[in-house]
Structures are given as C-alpha cells and as structure tokens.
Amino acid sequence: MAYCHNCPPLSPIVTAPTQVYNNFYYPQAQPIVHPVEVINQHHCVPVPQHYVTYTEKDVVVSSVKKRKKRK
C-alpha cells in the first residue's frame, strides 16, 4: 500500500464493539423425586389341615375253636 506524503493524518474510526462470549458450565445437582407406593396385599388361602379321628372297641374272642358244620 502506498502512502501519500502530503496527506494529513486521519482520525481513527471506532466501530461498535464485537462481543466474544466465554461460556463456563458447572454441574449442579437437580433433585428428581420418584415416588414409590408400596401396597401390601394380604390374601387368605385355604390350606388343608388333616385331622384323624378314631374309635376304639373291645371284642371278646373265644379260645374254643368252632367246628365246621356238615352239610
């Protein structure tokens, strides 16, 4: 670029500032609540329960042998 030796100095032109952003990110705990509802279900279930009853009787048995009848 050629400069003219006879030109007076110029005043600088100032433009609008250019903005440069530096972004910084930091972790921040975000509470997230997960509600859990526990439902206790009670069920009646029939279960067999066996009972044994007995009776007792005395029988008199003769020691004499019985003869067979003839036909």
Side-chain angles (χ1 to χ4, degrees):
M1 183 177 226
Y3 291 101
C4 180
H5 297 295
N6 296 334
C7 296
L10 298 175
S11 297
I13 299 173
V14 179
T15 62
T18 301
Q19 295 179 341
V20 176
Y21 292 93
N22 289 325
N23 294 308
F24 298 94
Y25 298 94
Y26 301 98
Q28 181 181 12
Q30 171 64 56
I32 298 174
V33 179
H34 298 274
V36 175
E37 183 177 6
V38 177
I39 299 172
N40 296 320
Q41 295 182 334
H42 300 271
H43 302 276
C44 294
V45 179
V47 177
Q49 188 174 10
H50 299 276
Y51 295 97
V52 177
T53 61
Y54 69 95
T55 58
E56 186 177 318
K57 64 181 179 179
D58 294 319
V59 178
V60 178
V61 178
S62 170
S63 61
V64 179
K65 291 186 178 180
K66 293 184 180 179
R67 291 186 175 177
K68 290 186 180 179
K69 295 183 181 178
R70 292 185 180 182
K71 291 184 185 179

